[in-house]
Amino acid sequence: MDAVAAPANRKIVLIGGPGSGKSTLTRYLLLTALDRTPATQAQRTVWAQGLRDHLPLLVELREYNAVYVDNRCHDFLSYLHHLGKAEKYNLDQAWLHERLRAAPSLVLFDGLDEIFVGQDRDRVKQAIVGFAGEYPRARVVVTSRPVGYKDGILQAGGFRHYGIEDLDDDQIKTFVDGWFGHLFPDRPREADQRRQRILGSLQKSWPVRLLAGNPMLLTIMALIAQLRELPKERWRFYDHAAEVLCHHWDVNRHLEAEGVDDFIGLEDKKDPLERIAAYMQEGDGGLAGNVIQKADLRT
């Protein structure tokens, strides 16, 4: 947070692996800049005070690139204008231009790695450099996974690079305490029992402790610990994690919200995913592969 808000870091790139919290961080920064409640302002840390009065804008680069390739926008401002009409944000391109020139802003470009075509990714990098140059009062943050990232264009544009570190032991404990304290506010014994499922497993199994430094995997551990003991072996944890992601994550919740009750079963989901994963790992990118062609996926 201090790095993001430091005056010298007007242009930065945050590098982090899958599940390290990049998108969560961008949304937290956006909400922090939007918060105008007096009580919160008085309690704000130094870094949060540094974002006060900044207009926050979030650009999800995967969505931006899809709209750009479809010729529905030609730059970031026209994309935000497009969103303003499509999502009823009432963001006007001319107003945004004047606001970005005249006052401070926080512009978050999330998911550079989700643009898979190298030529498109380089074009977007050049556009980000141009945007930061045209609006010198804007604080610009770009996020990306490390796999496939090349820093030449953004580094030449004056962007500083930072890495998102894994959670340490104290941060893991803070997360676990907060999670189960929120889940069982009136049942401290049950909350403590589940805390110990995680913290005890991390003390006994170094492979599982290594995984717990990743916020998304730690979240999955918390979901598993609500129902059962954590496995000691890494492969068993991955198997449980795959079940959580396939069966309990966002998909079923959205289907339930739409009134759909004919779900695809867990094993029916895992079977094609196993085939897709094997195909991607056997491809040219090997274990670093992060893309599959539509025709191959359909086949």
Side-chain angles (χ1 to χ4, degrees):
M1 300 302 183
D2 292 335
V4 170
N9 291 346
R10 187 179 75 83
K11 300 180 289 185
I12 67 171
V13 181
L14 297 177
I15 303 294
S20 63
K22 300 182 297 297
S23 295
T24 301
L25 175 60
T26 59
R27 283 149 184 78
Y28 183 71
L29 291 169
L30 184 145
L31 291 171
T32 298
L34 284 173
D35 192 350
R36 294 290 186 268
T37 55
T40 305
Q41 292 286 358
Q43 299 169 1
R44 282 190 166 192
T45 57
V46 173
W47 72 263
Q49 289 284 4
L51 299 181
R52 189 174 183 176
D53 299 326
H54 282 57
L55 170 70
L57 298 169
L58 174 62
V59 177
E60 294 176 318
L61 290 174
R62 176 182 56 187
E63 300 297 331
Y64 161 76
N65 190 59
V67 173
Y68 181 93
V69 170
D70 201 30
N71 292 319
R72 287 180 287 163
C73 74
H74 59 273
D75 59 15
F76 294 124
L77 258 60
S78 61
Y79 171 69
L80 291 168
H81 183 90
H82 164 80
L83 282 185
K85 293 190 295 182
E87 305 292 341
K88 310 301 181 185
Y89 296 156
N90 298 319
L91 286 176
D92 176 75
Q93 182 173 347
W95 179 88
L96 275 174
H97 172 73
E98 295 301 326
R99 177 62 173 76
L100 289 168
R101 292 291 295 271
S105 59
L106 174 67
V107 186
L108 306 159
F109 295 102
D110 186 33
L112 183 63
D113 57 283
E114 295 184 27
I115 301 175
F116 296 117
V117 179
Q119 185 176 356
D120 290 345
R121 192 161 55 241
D122 287 346
R123 169 180 50 75
V124 170
K125 288 180 187 177
Q126 293 284 9
I128 292 172
V129 171
F131 180 92
E134 184 172 1
Y135 302 108
R137 302 199 65 181
R139 183 174 295 277
V140 179
V141 179
V142 183
T143 72
S144 178
R145 294 183 184 184
V147 174
Y149 176 75
K150 297 179 181 179
D151 61 6
I153 294 174
L154 292 175
Q155 192 169 44
F159 280 76
R160 295 184 175 186
H161 288 68
Y162 289 85
I164 298 178
E165 295 182 340
D166 284 348
L167 302 177
D168 60 29
D169 290 342
D170 289 339
Q171 291 167 331
I172 290 172
K173 186 177 184 303
T174 297
F175 176 96
V176 172
D177 289 345
W179 180 282
F180 291 112
H182 179 75
L183 194 65
F184 301 102
D186 301 321
R187 291 177 283 172
R189 182 175 296 181
E190 292 185 41
D192 188 61
Q193 180 189 47
R194 286 158 175 79
R195 288 190 189 100
Q196 291 309 313
R197 282 181 177 176
I198 293 181
L199 300 178
S201 294
L202 302 188
Q203 291 176 347
K204 296 175 184 177
S205 175
W206 179 243
V208 176
R209 165 60 187 86
L210 290 176
L211 298 177
N214 181 284
M216 187 183 75
L217 294 180
L218 182 58
T219 301
I220 293 175
M221 288 183 188
L223 292 170
I224 294 173
Q226 290 173 206
L227 303 174
R228 68 186 82 167
E229 297 291 335
L230 289 179
K232 296 179 182 179
E233 299 88 352
R234 183 190 293 247
W235 74 267
R236 290 188 187 277
F237 171 75
Y238 276 133
D239 191 47
H240 284 301
E243 289 187 6
V244 170
L245 288 170
C246 287
H247 198 58
H248 300 294
W249 211 247
D250 291 335
V251 175
N252 283 357
R253 187 171 71 242
H254 293 316
L255 290 174
E256 289 169 354
E258 295 296 324
V260 178
D261 57 8
D262 187 16
F263 297 154
I264 300 174
L266 175 61
E267 295 304 321
D268 293 329
K269 292 179 182 177
K270 289 176 67 175
D271 178 64
L273 290 175
E274 289 168 357
R275 300 185 192 194
I276 295 166
Y279 180 89
M280 292 172 71
Q281 292 179 18
E282 293 167 359
D284 294 337
L287 291 175
N290 195 32
V291 62
I292 183 170
Q293 298 296 324
K294 183 187 297 185
D296 295 331
L297 179 61
R298 284 178 169 171
T299 300

PDB file of all heavy atoms in Angstrom, residues 139-162:
ATOM      1  N   ARG A 139      -2.407   8.709 -11.230  1.00  0.00           N
ATOM      2  CA  ARG A 139      -1.593   7.647 -10.641  1.00  0.00           C
ATOM      3  C   ARG A 139      -2.022   6.341 -11.310  1.00  0.00           C
ATOM      4  O   ARG A 139      -3.192   5.951 -11.236  1.00  0.00           O
ATOM      5  CB  ARG A 139      -1.817   7.591  -9.134  1.00  0.00           C
ATOM      6  CG  ARG A 139      -0.974   6.563  -8.404  1.00  0.00           C
ATOM      7  CD  ARG A 139      -1.168   6.685  -6.904  1.00  0.00           C
ATOM      8  NE  ARG A 139      -0.682   7.954  -6.417  1.00  0.00           N
ATOM      9  CZ  ARG A 139       0.580   8.224  -6.124  1.00  0.00           C
ATOM     10  NH1 ARG A 139       1.493   7.267  -6.279  1.00  0.00           N
ATOM     11  NH2 ARG A 139       0.954   9.403  -5.701  1.00  0.00           N
ATOM     12  N   VAL A 140      -1.093   5.682 -11.999  1.00  0.00           N
ATOM     13  CA  VAL A 140      -1.426   4.542 -12.856  1.00  0.00           C
ATOM     14  C   VAL A 140      -0.850   3.261 -12.263  1.00  0.00           C
ATOM     15  O   VAL A 140       0.349   3.188 -11.958  1.00  0.00           O
ATOM     16  CB  VAL A 140      -0.893   4.759 -14.286  1.00  0.00           C
ATOM     17  CG1 VAL A 140      -1.225   3.566 -15.170  1.00  0.00           C
ATOM     18  CG2 VAL A 140      -1.468   6.044 -14.880  1.00  0.00           C
ATOM     19  N   VAL A 141      -1.700   2.246 -12.109  1.00  0.00           N
ATOM     20  CA  VAL A 141      -1.293   0.941 -11.580  1.00  0.00           C
ATOM     21  C   VAL A 141      -1.684  -0.133 -12.598  1.00  0.00           C
ATOM     22  O   VAL A 141      -2.833  -0.201 -13.029  1.00  0.00           O
ATOM     23  CB  VAL A 141      -1.969   0.645 -10.230  1.00  0.00           C
ATOM     24  CG1 VAL A 141      -1.542  -0.732  -9.703  1.00  0.00           C
ATOM     25  CG2 VAL A 141      -1.642   1.732  -9.211  1.00  0.00           C
ATOM     26  N   VAL A 142      -0.717  -0.976 -12.970  1.00  0.00           N
ATOM     27  CA  VAL A 142      -0.945  -2.087 -13.899  1.00  0.00           C
ATOM     28  C   VAL A 142      -0.674  -3.387 -13.150  1.00  0.00           C
ATOM     29  O   VAL A 142       0.297  -3.473 -12.393  1.00  0.00           O
ATOM     30  CB  VAL A 142      -0.021  -1.990 -15.127  1.00  0.00           C
ATOM     31  CG1 VAL A 142      -0.323  -3.108 -16.131  1.00  0.00           C
ATOM     32  CG2 VAL A 142      -0.129  -0.630 -15.787  1.00  0.00           C
ATOM     33  N   THR A 143      -1.521  -4.401 -13.334  1.00  0.00           N
ATOM     34  CA  THR A 143      -1.267  -5.705 -12.717  1.00  0.00           C
ATOM     35  C   THR A 143      -1.057  -6.762 -13.786  1.00  0.00           C
ATOM     36  O   THR A 143      -1.620  -6.688 -14.880  1.00  0.00           O
ATOM     37  CB  THR A 143      -2.426  -6.151 -11.805  1.00  0.00           C
ATOM     38  OG1 THR A 143      -3.559  -6.511 -12.600  1.00  0.00           O
ATOM     39  CG2 THR A 143      -2.808  -5.060 -10.825  1.00  0.00           C
ATOM     40  N   SER A 144      -0.223  -7.757 -13.461  1.00  0.00           N
ATOM     41  CA  SER A 144       0.053  -8.838 -14.405  1.00  0.00           C
ATOM     42  C   SER A 144       0.612 -10.036 -13.659  1.00  0.00           C
ATOM     43  O   SER A 144       1.265  -9.888 -12.614  1.00  0.00           O
ATOM     44  CB  SER A 144       1.049  -8.396 -15.478  1.00  0.00           C
ATOM     45  OG  SER A 144       1.359  -9.468 -16.367  1.00  0.00           O
ATOM     46  N   ARG A 145       0.375 -11.215 -14.208  1.00  0.00           N
ATOM     47  CA  ARG A 145       1.104 -12.391 -13.752  1.00  0.00           C
ATOM     48  C   ARG A 145       2.528 -12.329 -14.286  1.00  0.00           C
ATOM     49  O   ARG A 145       2.797 -11.689 -15.307  1.00  0.00           O
ATOM     50  CB  ARG A 145       0.428 -13.667 -14.255  1.00  0.00           C
ATOM     51  CG  ARG A 145      -0.943 -13.941 -13.681  1.00  0.00           C
ATOM     52  CD  ARG A 145      -1.473 -15.262 -14.184  1.00  0.00           C
ATOM     53  NE  ARG A 145      -2.832 -15.518 -13.738  1.00  0.00           N
ATOM     54  CZ  ARG A 145      -3.497 -16.640 -13.977  1.00  0.00           C
ATOM     55  NH1 ARG A 145      -2.920 -17.601 -14.689  1.00  0.00           N
ATOM     56  NH2 ARG A 145      -4.727 -16.802 -13.525  1.00  0.00           N
ATOM     57  N   PRO A 146       3.467 -13.030 -13.632  1.00  0.00           N
ATOM     58  CA  PRO A 146       4.854 -12.995 -14.126  1.00  0.00           C
ATOM     59  C   PRO A 146       5.070 -13.818 -15.392  1.00  0.00           C
ATOM     60  O   PRO A 146       5.941 -13.470 -16.202  1.00  0.00           O
ATOM     61  CB  PRO A 146       5.660 -13.572 -12.950  1.00  0.00           C
ATOM     62  CG  PRO A 146       4.685 -14.395 -12.180  1.00  0.00           C
ATOM     63  CD  PRO A 146       3.344 -13.726 -12.339  1.00  0.00           C
ATOM     64  N   VAL A 147       4.294 -14.908 -15.585  1.00  0.00           N
ATOM     65  CA  VAL A 147       4.522 -15.784 -16.735  1.00  0.00           C
ATOM     66  C   VAL A 147       4.218 -15.026 -18.024  1.00  0.00           C
ATOM     67  O   VAL A 147       3.125 -14.497 -18.221  1.00  0.00           O
ATOM     68  CB  VAL A 147       3.646 -17.044 -16.638  1.00  0.00           C
ATOM     69  CG1 VAL A 147       3.768 -17.875 -17.906  1.00  0.00           C
ATOM     70  CG2 VAL A 147       4.041 -17.869 -15.427  1.00  0.00           C
ATOM     71  N   GLY A 148       5.206 -14.954 -18.890  1.00  0.00           N
ATOM     72  CA  GLY A 148       5.031 -14.301 -20.184  1.00  0.00           C
ATOM     73  C   GLY A 148       5.165 -12.790 -20.155  1.00  0.00           C
ATOM     74  O   GLY A 148       5.085 -12.149 -21.216  1.00  0.00           O
ATOM     75  N   TYR A 149       5.383 -12.198 -18.966  1.00  0.00           N
ATOM     76  CA  TYR A 149       5.460 -10.741 -18.899  1.00  0.00           C
ATOM     77  C   TYR A 149       6.859 -10.277 -19.296  1.00  0.00           C
ATOM     78  O   TYR A 149       7.870 -10.807 -18.826  1.00  0.00           O
ATOM     79  CB  TYR A 149       5.143 -10.245 -17.484  1.00  0.00           C
ATOM     80  CG  TYR A 149       5.307  -8.743 -17.346  1.00  0.00           C
ATOM     81  CD1 TYR A 149       4.352  -7.882 -17.875  1.00  0.00           C
ATOM     82  CD2 TYR A 149       6.428  -8.193 -16.745  1.00  0.00           C
ATOM     83  CE1 TYR A 149       4.501  -6.516 -17.787  1.00  0.00           C
ATOM     84  CE2 TYR A 149       6.593  -6.830 -16.647  1.00  0.00           C
ATOM     85  CZ  TYR A 149       5.623  -5.997 -17.167  1.00  0.00           C
ATOM     86  OH  TYR A 149       5.788  -4.631 -17.084  1.00  0.00           O
ATOM     87  N   LYS A 150       6.909  -9.282 -20.155  1.00  0.00           N
ATOM     88  CA  LYS A 150       8.162  -8.632 -20.548  1.00  0.00           C
ATOM     89  C   LYS A 150       8.041  -7.152 -20.216  1.00  0.00           C
ATOM     90  O   LYS A 150       7.096  -6.492 -20.639  1.00  0.00           O
ATOM     91  CB  LYS A 150       8.430  -8.833 -22.041  1.00  0.00           C
ATOM     92  CG  LYS A 150       8.610 -10.301 -22.423  1.00  0.00           C
ATOM     93  CD  LYS A 150       8.848 -10.473 -23.918  1.00  0.00           C
ATOM     94  CE  LYS A 150       9.009 -11.949 -24.282  1.00  0.00           C
ATOM     95  NZ  LYS A 150       9.214 -12.142 -25.739  1.00  0.00           N
ATOM     96  N   ASP A 151       9.005  -6.642 -19.456  1.00  0.00           N
ATOM     97  CA  ASP A 151       8.861  -5.301 -18.884  1.00  0.00           C
ATOM     98  C   ASP A 151       9.433  -4.182 -19.749  1.00  0.00           C
ATOM     99  O   ASP A 151       9.406  -3.029 -19.346  1.00  0.00           O
ATOM    100  CB  ASP A 151       9.519  -5.248 -17.496  1.00  0.00           C
ATOM    101  CG  ASP A 151      11.017  -5.550 -17.535  1.00  0.00           C
ATOM    102  OD1 ASP A 151      11.565  -5.695 -18.649  1.00  0.00           O
ATOM    103  OD2 ASP A 151      11.629  -5.650 -16.463  1.00  0.00           O
ATOM    104  N   GLY A 152       9.925  -4.493 -20.952  1.00  0.00           N
ATOM    105  CA  GLY A 152      10.639  -3.490 -21.744  1.00  0.00           C
ATOM    106  C   GLY A 152       9.834  -2.232 -22.021  1.00  0.00           C
ATOM    107  O   GLY A 152      10.307  -1.113 -21.793  1.00  0.00           O
ATOM    108  N   ILE A 153       8.611  -2.369 -22.523  1.00  0.00           N
ATOM    109  CA  ILE A 153       7.817  -1.216 -22.939  1.00  0.00           C
ATOM    110  C   ILE A 153       7.442  -0.354 -21.742  1.00  0.00           C
ATOM    111  O   ILE A 153       7.640   0.874 -21.751  1.00  0.00           O
ATOM    112  CB  ILE A 153       6.553  -1.673 -23.698  1.00  0.00           C
ATOM    113  CG1 ILE A 153       6.944  -2.330 -25.024  1.00  0.00           C
ATOM    114  CG2 ILE A 153       5.606  -0.500 -23.937  1.00  0.00           C
ATOM    115  CD1 ILE A 153       5.779  -2.944 -25.778  1.00  0.00           C
ATOM    116  N   LEU A 154       6.919  -0.964 -20.681  1.00  0.00           N
ATOM    117  CA  LEU A 154       6.481  -0.189 -19.517  1.00  0.00           C
ATOM    118  C   LEU A 154       7.673   0.367 -18.745  1.00  0.00           C
ATOM    119  O   LEU A 154       7.613   1.487 -18.213  1.00  0.00           O
ATOM    120  CB  LEU A 154       5.600  -1.049 -18.616  1.00  0.00           C
ATOM    121  CG  LEU A 154       4.238  -1.414 -19.210  1.00  0.00           C
ATOM    122  CD1 LEU A 154       3.480  -2.365 -18.297  1.00  0.00           C
ATOM    123  CD2 LEU A 154       3.393  -0.168 -19.470  1.00  0.00           C
ATOM    124  N   GLN A 155       8.750  -0.388 -18.672  1.00  0.00           N
ATOM    125  CA  GLN A 155       9.931   0.120 -17.974  1.00  0.00           C
ATOM    126  C   GLN A 155      10.500   1.325 -18.719  1.00  0.00           C
ATOM    127  O   GLN A 155      10.892   2.324 -18.101  1.00  0.00           O
ATOM    128  CB  GLN A 155      10.977  -0.983 -17.863  1.00  0.00           C
ATOM    129  CG  GLN A 155      12.121  -0.640 -16.901  1.00  0.00           C
ATOM    130  CD  GLN A 155      12.981  -1.851 -16.613  1.00  0.00           C
ATOM    131  OE1 GLN A 155      13.321  -2.609 -17.519  1.00  0.00           O
ATOM    132  NE2 GLN A 155      13.341  -2.049 -15.359  1.00  0.00           N
ATOM    133  N   ALA A 156      10.525   1.257 -20.040  1.00  0.00           N
ATOM    134  CA  ALA A 156      10.989   2.399 -20.827  1.00  0.00           C
ATOM    135  C   ALA A 156      10.068   3.600 -20.663  1.00  0.00           C
ATOM    136  O   ALA A 156      10.492   4.749 -20.813  1.00  0.00           O
ATOM    137  CB  ALA A 156      11.081   2.006 -22.302  1.00  0.00           C
ATOM    138  N   GLY A 157       8.787   3.332 -20.334  1.00  0.00           N
ATOM    139  CA  GLY A 157       7.828   4.409 -20.106  1.00  0.00           C
ATOM    140  C   GLY A 157       7.858   4.974 -18.705  1.00  0.00           C
ATOM    141  O   GLY A 157       6.997   5.782 -18.344  1.00  0.00           O
ATOM    142  N   GLY A 158       8.837   4.554 -17.887  1.00  0.00           N
ATOM    143  CA  GLY A 158       8.988   5.112 -16.541  1.00  0.00           C
ATOM    144  C   GLY A 158       8.230   4.378 -15.462  1.00  0.00           C
ATOM    145  O   GLY A 158       8.122   4.884 -14.334  1.00  0.00           O
ATOM    146  N   PHE A 159       7.729   3.169 -15.741  1.00  0.00           N
ATOM    147  CA  PHE A 159       6.986   2.411 -14.732  1.00  0.00           C
ATOM    148  C   PHE A 159       7.958   1.658 -13.821  1.00  0.00           C
ATOM    149  O   PHE A 159       8.875   0.998 -14.292  1.00  0.00           O
ATOM    150  CB  PHE A 159       6.035   1.421 -15.400  1.00  0.00           C
ATOM    151  CG  PHE A 159       4.754   2.039 -15.895  1.00  0.00           C
ATOM    152  CD1 PHE A 159       4.742   2.802 -17.057  1.00  0.00           C
ATOM    153  CD2 PHE A 159       3.578   1.873 -15.187  1.00  0.00           C
ATOM    154  CE1 PHE A 159       3.564   3.374 -17.517  1.00  0.00           C
ATOM    155  CE2 PHE A 159       2.394   2.436 -15.636  1.00  0.00           C
ATOM    156  CZ  PHE A 159       2.390   3.206 -16.800  1.00  0.00           C
ATOM    157  N   ARG A 160       7.715   1.762 -12.536  1.00  0.00           N
ATOM    158  CA  ARG A 160       8.455   0.972 -11.557  1.00  0.00           C
ATOM    159  C   ARG A 160       7.722  -0.348 -11.326  1.00  0.00           C
ATOM    160  O   ARG A 160       6.512  -0.408 -11.410  1.00  0.00           O
ATOM    161  CB  ARG A 160       8.589   1.730 -10.240  1.00  0.00           C
ATOM    162  CG  ARG A 160       9.422   3.003 -10.359  1.00  0.00           C
ATOM    163  CD  ARG A 160       9.612   3.653  -9.003  1.00  0.00           C
ATOM    164  NE  ARG A 160      10.505   4.800  -9.082  1.00  0.00           N
ATOM    165  CZ  ARG A 160      10.941   5.480  -8.023  1.00  0.00           C
ATOM    166  NH1 ARG A 160      10.548   5.128  -6.803  1.00  0.00           N
ATOM    167  NH2 ARG A 160      11.765   6.501  -8.180  1.00  0.00           N
ATOM    168  N   HIS A 161       8.486  -1.383 -11.000  1.00  0.00           N
ATOM    169  CA  HIS A 161       7.911  -2.720 -10.861  1.00  0.00           C
ATOM    170  C   HIS A 161       8.029  -3.216  -9.419  1.00  0.00           C
ATOM    171  O   HIS A 161       9.075  -3.080  -8.794  1.00  0.00           O
ATOM    172  CB  HIS A 161       8.623  -3.696 -11.812  1.00  0.00           C
ATOM    173  CG  HIS A 161       8.278  -3.482 -13.253  1.00  0.00           C
ATOM    174  ND1 HIS A 161       8.672  -2.358 -13.955  1.00  0.00           N
ATOM    175  CD2 HIS A 161       7.554  -4.240 -14.127  1.00  0.00           C
ATOM    176  CE1 HIS A 161       8.210  -2.445 -15.204  1.00  0.00           C
ATOM    177  NE2 HIS A 161       7.542  -3.571 -15.328  1.00  0.00           N
ATOM    178  N   TYR A 162       6.933  -3.798  -8.936  1.00  0.00           N
ATOM    179  CA  TYR A 162       6.894  -4.381  -7.602  1.00  0.00           C
ATOM    180  C   TYR A 162       6.277  -5.770  -7.680  1.00  0.00           C
ATOM    181  O   TYR A 162       5.418  -6.027  -8.525  1.00  0.00           O
ATOM    182  CB  TYR A 162       6.060  -3.517  -6.647  1.00  0.00           C
ATOM    183  CG  TYR A 162       6.708  -2.211  -6.285  1.00  0.00           C
ATOM    184  CD1 TYR A 162       6.571  -1.093  -7.100  1.00  0.00           C
ATOM    185  CD2 TYR A 162       7.471  -2.089  -5.123  1.00  0.00           C
ATOM    186  CE1 TYR A 162       7.180   0.109  -6.782  1.00  0.00           C
ATOM    187  CE2 TYR A 162       8.074  -0.894  -4.792  1.00  0.00           C
ATOM    188  CZ  TYR A 162       7.927   0.214  -5.625  1.00  0.00           C
ATOM    189  OH  TYR A 162       8.530   1.396  -5.301  1.00  0.00           O
TER     190      TYR A 162
END
